[in-house]
Amino acid sequence: MAKFKVMAVCAGRKGGNGEALAKEALCAVEEAGGEVELLNLFDYNILPCTGCEGCTMQMGKMAAGLQKEYHGCILKDKDDTDAIITEMHTCQGIIFVVPTYDLTPSSLYTRLAQRFLAYELSFLLAIGAVKENPHTVAGLISVGGSMHDWQSLALESLQATMFTQSLQVVDRYMATRDGRPGNTFVYADQLPRARKMGENIVKAINTPVEERGWLGDPNDGVCPNCHSSLVYPGDKHWDGIEFPWECAVCGAGGTLGTNPETGRPMLVIDPKNGLIRDRNNDKARAEHLNEINKTRDEFFAQQDQIKDQMKKYRDMKFPTLEIKR
Ligand SMILES: Cc1cc2nc3c(=O)[nH]c(=O)nc-3n(C[C@H](O)[C@H](O)[C@H](O)COP(=O)(O)O)c2cc1C
């Protein structure tokens, strides 16, 4: 078996439930002969994305042949994010274990995830900054004090952060009713499920890339494409495309139907064009780049007309909270 490395990225408390579940998953990887690594994000300095769009502007310029070298994120030398993402790129599998705060992944994790944009894997591969696509697989664990009803956006929001890193999610698990540290040990099923996650990651790594697929609960979620539980009635896209229902995570489109096995609602993906917006697919994601470029071009074409308005609003001042330091 070829050598492989799996990292667990945990955003939970030191000695908390998430760390225990991450460790159990990594034990399974280690027993299967893999190298393992556990990063608790509380140990690192991660600055929030400034929203400058310096990265995507550079990517656009390089694609148009207007810039030779990619300088990356403006925060690159100011915190630990670059080191974390560089290390992620040395792994064939990553398990994200994130506590649920206010139904969603905690901000410590989303801070890191929103910095992924400057490291868009397909772009780094295109410019040779990353030599070979590691075809990294991912497992997701959300850890909450409540059940699904209070973690309703947790796994889906985690899934939504996978696309820029081209991470293929092969399993996901929601650990429920884990309030105080150690709560997970009260239940007989949580550590074994985390172990299964580790085993599934190893199984995926050892499966040829083109044959890899979903290894989690086959009836998990509503979307048969990405297993998310969130669909919504679709609206017109920027180019006129419209689906009756869309998966909020992967963008698959179709109608609402019933899962013949479970009798529960499911998204029935349109066999003709339901996957043309599949965010798991690099080509479909490139279409989104066309959207961004079109919006940007249209804005630049009208910039002169809105110059005065921009200045007016930039100069407008309101009372704010001043902190004396
Ligand atoms: C600010 C805050 C918000 C929280 N919001 C939720 C929530 O919306 N849903 C939930 O299930 N648990 C919520 N919790 C509970 C945590 O998800 C829970 O304590 C979890 O075990 C943390 O994982 P850890 O033990 O790995 O730190 C919240 C906890 C905090 C501190």
Side-chain angles (χ1 to χ4, degrees):
M1 195 193 297
K3 274 169 71 173
F4 63 98
K5 184 155 109 188
V6 175
M7 173 195 283
V9 175
C10 177
R13 291 166 291 194
K14 291 293 185 71
N17 300 295
E19 256 197 16
L21 295 170
K23 286 176 180 175
E24 187 63 21
L26 290 183
C27 284
V29 176
E30 224 172 8
E31 285 164 26
E35 193 185 325
V36 294
E37 187 163 36
L38 170 63
L39 276 62
N40 187 311
L41 295 184
F42 277 110
D43 287 332
Y44 304 95
N45 176 26
I46 301 164
L47 294 171
C49 169
T50 64
C52 73
E53 293 188 297
C55 57
T56 51
M57 297 283 277
Q58 289 183 71
M59 290 176 194
K61 279 188 189 154
M62 288 188 73
L66 302 170
Q67 185 175 322
K68 281 211 167 64
E69 211 182 319
Y70 180 59
H71 306 292
C73 179
I74 53 155
L75 298 174
K76 192 172 174 196
D77 303 316
K78 299 199 162 50
D79 70 355
D80 301 327
T81 303
D82 189 66
I84 296 172
I85 297 176
T86 304
E87 190 67 10
M88 278 170 60
H89 289 157
T90 67
C91 296
Q92 290 72 47
I94 306 181
I95 301 171
F96 296 92
V97 188
V98 181
T100 302
Y101 291 175
D102 302 333
L103 317 183
T104 54
S106 70
S107 61
L108 181 60
Y109 172 74
T110 54
R111 260 189 183 217
L112 173 70
Q114 286 158 11
R115 295 283 300 283
F116 287 168
L117 186 59
Y119 298 83
E120 163 86 48
L121 189 75
S122 53
F123 172 74
L124 295 184
L125 283 165
I127 64 168
V130 173
K131 296 288 168 247
E132 210 179 310
N133 188 341
H135 292 291
T136 313
V137 293
L140 310 177
I141 302 181
S142 73
V143 189
S146 300
M147 299 186 72
H148 191 179
D149 58 327
W150 270 88
Q151 296 198 64
S152 49
L153 305 171
L155 285 171
E156 282 69 22
S157 306
L158 272 179
Q159 279 175 275
T161 65
M162 297 292 116
F163 304 120
T164 44
Q165 289 303 293
S166 302
L167 290 162
Q168 182 187 357
V169 179
V170 294
D171 188 11
R172 59 174 217 165
Y173 168 54
M174 181 180 288
T176 60
R177 305 192 72 204
D178 283 343
R180 296 300 302 156
N183 215 154
T184 188
F185 302 121
V186 167
Y187 311 112
D189 58 333
Q190 295 199 353
L191 286 173
R193 183 59 183 83
R195 173 167 279 271
K196 182 86 189 146
M197 170 82 64
E199 289 166 2
N200 282 342
I201 290 291
V202 173
K203 192 170 173 187
I205 291 171
N206 290 318
T207 302
V209 172
E210 56 286 354
E211 290 168 28
R212 286 178 188 165
W214 181 249
L215 297 170
D217 172 1
N219 291 319
D220 185 11
V222 178
C223 172
N225 190 43
C226 75
H227 293 270
S228 105
S229 297
L230 288 181
V231 293
Y232 69 102
D235 296 307
K236 247 191 193 54
H237 293 204
W238 66 285
D239 57 355
I241 288 282
E242 194 171 0
F243 302 109
W245 286 85
E246 281 182 40
C247 171
V249 175
C250 73
T255 51
L256 277 192
T258 304
N259 183 326
E261 272 168 42
T262 63
R264 287 166 64 97
M266 71 177 283
L267 180 73
V268 180
I269 297 174
D270 189 319
K272 277 203 315 290
N273 69 348
L275 289 176
I276 57 169
R277 287 289 142 88
D278 178 10
R279 283 184 265 267
N280 294 296
N281 180 312
D282 281 349
K283 246 171 77 200
R285 259 206 337 274
E287 197 53 45
H288 177 52
L289 210 61
N290 291 337
E291 173 185 5
I292 293 172
N293 288 337
K294 186 169 186 285
T295 305
R296 205 174 265 169
D297 289 348
E298 283 175 10
F299 168 70
F300 286 141
Q302 296 176 71
Q303 216 175 2
D304 275 353
Q305 298 158 39
I306 47 105
K307 240 179 20 213
D308 294 344
Q309 234 174 340
M310 272 181 84
K311 183 173 170 10
K312 178 181 153 190
Y313 281 89
R314 198 182 305 121
D315 295 347
M316 228 183 255
K317 295 281 182 278
F318 285 89
T320 188
L321 172 67
E322 308 276 356
I323 306 280
K324 303 247 177 306
R325 300 195 196 275

PDB file of all heavy atoms in Angstrom, residues 195-215:
ATOM      1  N   ARG A 195     -14.623   6.424  14.434  1.00  0.00           N
ATOM      2  CA  ARG A 195     -13.653   5.429  13.942  1.00  0.00           C
ATOM      3  C   ARG A 195     -14.011   5.030  12.512  1.00  0.00           C
ATOM      4  O   ARG A 195     -13.153   4.927  11.636  1.00  0.00           O
ATOM      5  CB  ARG A 195     -13.664   4.210  14.884  1.00  0.00           C
ATOM      6  CG  ARG A 195     -12.856   3.035  14.427  1.00  0.00           C
ATOM      7  CD  ARG A 195     -12.677   2.043  15.534  1.00  0.00           C
ATOM      8  NE  ARG A 195     -11.604   2.464  16.423  1.00  0.00           N
ATOM      9  CZ  ARG A 195     -10.323   2.127  16.229  1.00  0.00           C
ATOM     10  NH1 ARG A 195      -9.962   1.368  15.220  1.00  0.00           N
ATOM     11  NH2 ARG A 195      -9.396   2.557  17.065  1.00  0.00           N
ATOM     12  N   LYS A 196     -15.302   4.818  12.270  1.00  0.00           N
ATOM     13  CA  LYS A 196     -15.784   4.455  10.926  1.00  0.00           C
ATOM     14  C   LYS A 196     -15.409   5.549   9.923  1.00  0.00           C
ATOM     15  O   LYS A 196     -15.040   5.255   8.773  1.00  0.00           O
ATOM     16  CB  LYS A 196     -17.306   4.269  10.986  1.00  0.00           C
ATOM     17  CG  LYS A 196     -17.933   3.857   9.692  1.00  0.00           C
ATOM     18  CD  LYS A 196     -17.881   2.342   9.534  1.00  0.00           C
ATOM     19  CE  LYS A 196     -18.315   1.935   8.141  1.00  0.00           C
ATOM     20  NZ  LYS A 196     -17.620   0.776   7.635  1.00  0.00           N
ATOM     21  N   MET A 197     -15.487   6.803  10.377  1.00  0.00           N
ATOM     22  CA  MET A 197     -15.098   7.920   9.510  1.00  0.00           C
ATOM     23  C   MET A 197     -13.634   7.766   9.091  1.00  0.00           C
ATOM     24  O   MET A 197     -13.283   7.911   7.913  1.00  0.00           O
ATOM     25  CB  MET A 197     -15.302   9.239  10.265  1.00  0.00           C
ATOM     26  CG  MET A 197     -14.731  10.474   9.624  1.00  0.00           C
ATOM     27  SD  MET A 197     -15.761  11.167   8.357  1.00  0.00           S
ATOM     28  CE  MET A 197     -17.239  11.655   9.231  1.00  0.00           C
ATOM     29  N   GLY A 198     -12.776   7.446  10.071  1.00  0.00           N
ATOM     30  CA  GLY A 198     -11.354   7.237   9.765  1.00  0.00           C
ATOM     31  C   GLY A 198     -11.177   6.093   8.772  1.00  0.00           C
ATOM     32  O   GLY A 198     -10.407   6.199   7.808  1.00  0.00           O
ATOM     33  N   GLU A 199     -11.929   5.008   9.003  1.00  0.00           N
ATOM     34  CA  GLU A 199     -11.835   3.848   8.095  1.00  0.00           C
ATOM     35  C   GLU A 199     -12.305   4.222   6.689  1.00  0.00           C
ATOM     36  O   GLU A 199     -11.712   3.808   5.687  1.00  0.00           O
ATOM     37  CB  GLU A 199     -12.701   2.688   8.639  1.00  0.00           C
ATOM     38  CG  GLU A 199     -12.124   2.039   9.884  1.00  0.00           C
ATOM     39  CD  GLU A 199     -13.122   1.125  10.618  1.00  0.00           C
ATOM     40  OE1 GLU A 199     -14.261   0.957  10.141  1.00  0.00           O
ATOM     41  OE2 GLU A 199     -12.740   0.608  11.676  1.00  0.00           O
ATOM     42  N   ASN A 200     -13.379   4.995   6.625  1.00  0.00           N
ATOM     43  CA  ASN A 200     -13.901   5.404   5.314  1.00  0.00           C
ATOM     44  C   ASN A 200     -12.914   6.280   4.557  1.00  0.00           C
ATOM     45  O   ASN A 200     -12.783   6.184   3.333  1.00  0.00           O
ATOM     46  CB  ASN A 200     -15.241   6.131   5.480  1.00  0.00           C
ATOM     47  CG  ASN A 200     -16.380   5.157   5.729  1.00  0.00           C
ATOM     48  OD1 ASN A 200     -16.245   3.963   5.458  1.00  0.00           O
ATOM     49  ND2 ASN A 200     -17.491   5.649   6.245  1.00  0.00           N
ATOM     50  N   ILE A 201     -12.218   7.139   5.301  1.00  0.00           N
ATOM     51  CA  ILE A 201     -11.218   8.006   4.655  1.00  0.00           C
ATOM     52  C   ILE A 201     -10.103   7.137   4.067  1.00  0.00           C
ATOM     53  O   ILE A 201      -9.670   7.341   2.918  1.00  0.00           O
ATOM     54  CB  ILE A 201     -10.666   9.041   5.675  1.00  0.00           C
ATOM     55  CG1 ILE A 201     -11.744  10.071   6.027  1.00  0.00           C
ATOM     56  CG2 ILE A 201      -9.404   9.732   5.179  1.00  0.00           C
ATOM     57  CD1 ILE A 201     -12.132  11.016   4.908  1.00  0.00           C
ATOM     58  N   VAL A 202      -9.655   6.149   4.837  1.00  0.00           N
ATOM     59  CA  VAL A 202      -8.597   5.247   4.348  1.00  0.00           C
ATOM     60  C   VAL A 202      -9.093   4.486   3.110  1.00  0.00           C
ATOM     61  O   VAL A 202      -8.383   4.367   2.104  1.00  0.00           O
ATOM     62  CB  VAL A 202      -8.170   4.246   5.453  1.00  0.00           C
ATOM     63  CG1 VAL A 202      -7.195   3.212   4.897  1.00  0.00           C
ATOM     64  CG2 VAL A 202      -7.555   4.985   6.638  1.00  0.00           C
ATOM     65  N   LYS A 203     -10.346   3.999   3.192  1.00  0.00           N
ATOM     66  CA  LYS A 203     -10.918   3.243   2.078  1.00  0.00           C
ATOM     67  C   LYS A 203     -10.946   4.111   0.808  1.00  0.00           C
ATOM     68  O   LYS A 203     -10.582   3.656  -0.277  1.00  0.00           O
ATOM     69  CB  LYS A 203     -12.343   2.817   2.448  1.00  0.00           C
ATOM     70  CG  LYS A 203     -12.954   1.812   1.525  1.00  0.00           C
ATOM     71  CD  LYS A 203     -14.252   1.306   2.151  1.00  0.00           C
ATOM     72  CE  LYS A 203     -14.986   0.410   1.175  1.00  0.00           C
ATOM     73  NZ  LYS A 203     -16.292   0.036   1.671  1.00  0.00           N
ATOM     74  N   ALA A 204     -11.367   5.348   0.969  1.00  0.00           N
ATOM     75  CA  ALA A 204     -11.445   6.253  -0.189  1.00  0.00           C
ATOM     76  C   ALA A 204     -10.056   6.505  -0.772  1.00  0.00           C
ATOM     77  O   ALA A 204      -9.860   6.477  -1.992  1.00  0.00           O
ATOM     78  CB  ALA A 204     -12.108   7.566   0.221  1.00  0.00           C
ATOM     79  N   ILE A 205      -9.080   6.742   0.112  1.00  0.00           N
ATOM     80  CA  ILE A 205      -7.712   7.004  -0.364  1.00  0.00           C
ATOM     81  C   ILE A 205      -7.196   5.809  -1.173  1.00  0.00           C
ATOM     82  O   ILE A 205      -6.515   5.969  -2.183  1.00  0.00           O
ATOM     83  CB  ILE A 205      -6.770   7.313   0.829  1.00  0.00           C
ATOM     84  CG1 ILE A 205      -7.133   8.666   1.447  1.00  0.00           C
ATOM     85  CG2 ILE A 205      -5.302   7.300   0.391  1.00  0.00           C
ATOM     86  CD1 ILE A 205      -6.418   8.966   2.761  1.00  0.00           C
ATOM     87  N   ASN A 206      -7.564   4.612  -0.722  1.00  0.00           N
ATOM     88  CA  ASN A 206      -7.077   3.405  -1.395  1.00  0.00           C
ATOM     89  C   ASN A 206      -7.954   2.954  -2.557  1.00  0.00           C
ATOM     90  O   ASN A 206      -7.778   1.866  -3.089  1.00  0.00           O
ATOM     91  CB  ASN A 206      -6.926   2.265  -0.380  1.00  0.00           C
ATOM     92  CG  ASN A 206      -5.764   2.537   0.558  1.00  0.00           C
ATOM     93  OD1 ASN A 206      -4.712   2.993   0.133  1.00  0.00           O
ATOM     94  ND2 ASN A 206      -5.968   2.303   1.843  1.00  0.00           N
ATOM     95  N   THR A 207      -8.892   3.802  -2.951  1.00  0.00           N
ATOM     96  CA  THR A 207      -9.739   3.511  -4.120  1.00  0.00           C
ATOM     97  C   THR A 207      -9.274   4.419  -5.260  1.00  0.00           C
ATOM     98  O   THR A 207      -9.005   5.601  -5.026  1.00  0.00           O
ATOM     99  CB  THR A 207     -11.226   3.836  -3.779  1.00  0.00           C
ATOM    100  OG1 THR A 207     -11.596   3.061  -2.641  1.00  0.00           O
ATOM    101  CG2 THR A 207     -12.146   3.537  -4.933  1.00  0.00           C
ATOM    102  N   PRO A 208      -9.162   3.880  -6.478  1.00  0.00           N
ATOM    103  CA  PRO A 208      -8.759   4.752  -7.592  1.00  0.00           C
ATOM    104  C   PRO A 208      -9.656   5.990  -7.673  1.00  0.00           C
ATOM    105  O   PRO A 208     -10.878   5.877  -7.468  1.00  0.00           O
ATOM    106  CB  PRO A 208      -8.928   3.861  -8.826  1.00  0.00           C
ATOM    107  CG  PRO A 208      -8.888   2.458  -8.312  1.00  0.00           C
ATOM    108  CD  PRO A 208      -9.403   2.501  -6.910  1.00  0.00           C
ATOM    109  N   VAL A 209      -9.049   7.139  -7.961  1.00  0.00           N
ATOM    110  CA  VAL A 209      -9.762   8.425  -7.912  1.00  0.00           C
ATOM    111  C   VAL A 209     -11.102   8.370  -8.641  1.00  0.00           C
ATOM    112  O   VAL A 209     -12.136   8.793  -8.114  1.00  0.00           O
ATOM    113  CB  VAL A 209      -8.868   9.537  -8.522  1.00  0.00           C
ATOM    114  CG1 VAL A 209      -9.638  10.835  -8.675  1.00  0.00           C
ATOM    115  CG2 VAL A 209      -7.628   9.738  -7.666  1.00  0.00           C
ATOM    116  N   GLU A 210     -11.097   7.805  -9.853  1.00  0.00           N
ATOM    117  CA  GLU A 210     -12.331   7.811 -10.668  1.00  0.00           C
ATOM    118  C   GLU A 210     -13.414   6.877 -10.123  1.00  0.00           C
ATOM    119  O   GLU A 210     -14.579   6.998 -10.490  1.00  0.00           O
ATOM    120  CB  GLU A 210     -12.025   7.518 -12.158  1.00  0.00           C
ATOM    121  CG  GLU A 210     -11.282   6.232 -12.467  1.00  0.00           C
ATOM    122  CD  GLU A 210      -9.788   6.257 -12.096  1.00  0.00           C
ATOM    123  OE1 GLU A 210      -9.223   7.301 -11.687  1.00  0.00           O
ATOM    124  OE2 GLU A 210      -9.185   5.191 -12.208  1.00  0.00           O
ATOM    125  N   GLU A 211     -13.039   5.995  -9.206  1.00  0.00           N
ATOM    126  CA  GLU A 211     -14.046   5.065  -8.643  1.00  0.00           C
ATOM    127  C   GLU A 211     -14.526   5.478  -7.254  1.00  0.00           C
ATOM    128  O   GLU A 211     -15.358   4.813  -6.643  1.00  0.00           O
ATOM    129  CB  GLU A 211     -13.440   3.651  -8.539  1.00  0.00           C
ATOM    130  CG  GLU A 211     -13.228   2.983  -9.884  1.00  0.00           C
ATOM    131  CD  GLU A 211     -12.382   1.726  -9.771  1.00  0.00           C
ATOM    132  OE1 GLU A 211     -12.400   1.074  -8.705  1.00  0.00           O
ATOM    133  OE2 GLU A 211     -11.677   1.425 -10.754  1.00  0.00           O
ATOM    134  N   ARG A 212     -13.982   6.580  -6.739  1.00  0.00           N
ATOM    135  CA  ARG A 212     -14.365   6.994  -5.388  1.00  0.00           C
ATOM    136  C   ARG A 212     -15.801   7.482  -5.338  1.00  0.00           C
ATOM    137  O   ARG A 212     -16.263   8.130  -6.273  1.00  0.00           O
ATOM    138  CB  ARG A 212     -13.444   8.131  -4.914  1.00  0.00           C
ATOM    139  CG  ARG A 212     -12.075   7.635  -4.556  1.00  0.00           C
ATOM    140  CD  ARG A 212     -11.185   8.785  -4.150  1.00  0.00           C
ATOM    141  NE  ARG A 212      -9.827   8.320  -3.980  1.00  0.00           N
ATOM    142  CZ  ARG A 212      -8.766   9.120  -3.906  1.00  0.00           C
ATOM    143  NH1 ARG A 212      -8.917  10.415  -4.000  1.00  0.00           N
ATOM    144  NH2 ARG A 212      -7.575   8.605  -3.744  1.00  0.00           N
ATOM    145  N   GLY A 213     -16.466   7.190  -4.245  1.00  0.00           N
ATOM    146  CA  GLY A 213     -17.847   7.659  -4.106  1.00  0.00           C
ATOM    147  C   GLY A 213     -18.213   7.833  -2.650  1.00  0.00           C
ATOM    148  O   GLY A 213     -17.358   7.797  -1.756  1.00  0.00           O
ATOM    149  N   TRP A 214     -19.492   7.989  -2.408  1.00  0.00           N
ATOM    150  CA  TRP A 214     -20.022   8.237  -1.065  1.00  0.00           C
ATOM    151  C   TRP A 214     -19.897   6.984  -0.198  1.00  0.00           C
ATOM    152  O   TRP A 214     -20.303   5.901  -0.594  1.00  0.00           O
ATOM    153  CB  TRP A 214     -21.485   8.654  -1.200  1.00  0.00           C
ATOM    154  CG  TRP A 214     -22.153   8.965   0.095  1.00  0.00           C
ATOM    155  CD1 TRP A 214     -23.132   8.237   0.705  1.00  0.00           C
ATOM    156  CD2 TRP A 214     -21.912  10.094   0.931  1.00  0.00           C
ATOM    157  NE1 TRP A 214     -23.508   8.853   1.879  1.00  0.00           N
ATOM    158  CE2 TRP A 214     -22.772   9.994   2.042  1.00  0.00           C
ATOM    159  CE3 TRP A 214     -21.049  11.195   0.854  1.00  0.00           C
ATOM    160  CZ2 TRP A 214     -22.805  10.938   3.061  1.00  0.00           C
ATOM    161  CZ3 TRP A 214     -21.070  12.136   1.863  1.00  0.00           C
ATOM    162  CH2 TRP A 214     -21.937  12.008   2.951  1.00  0.00           C
ATOM    163  N   LEU A 215     -19.327   7.149   0.997  1.00  0.00           N
ATOM    164  CA  LEU A 215     -19.163   6.013   1.910  1.00  0.00           C
ATOM    165  C   LEU A 215     -19.966   6.178   3.192  1.00  0.00           C
ATOM    166  O   LEU A 215     -19.954   5.308   4.058  1.00  0.00           O
ATOM    167  CB  LEU A 215     -17.673   5.826   2.243  1.00  0.00           C
ATOM    168  CG  LEU A 215     -16.778   5.480   1.046  1.00  0.00           C
ATOM    169  CD1 LEU A 215     -15.302   5.566   1.427  1.00  0.00           C
ATOM    170  CD2 LEU A 215     -17.095   4.083   0.529  1.00  0.00           C
TER     171      LEU A 215
END
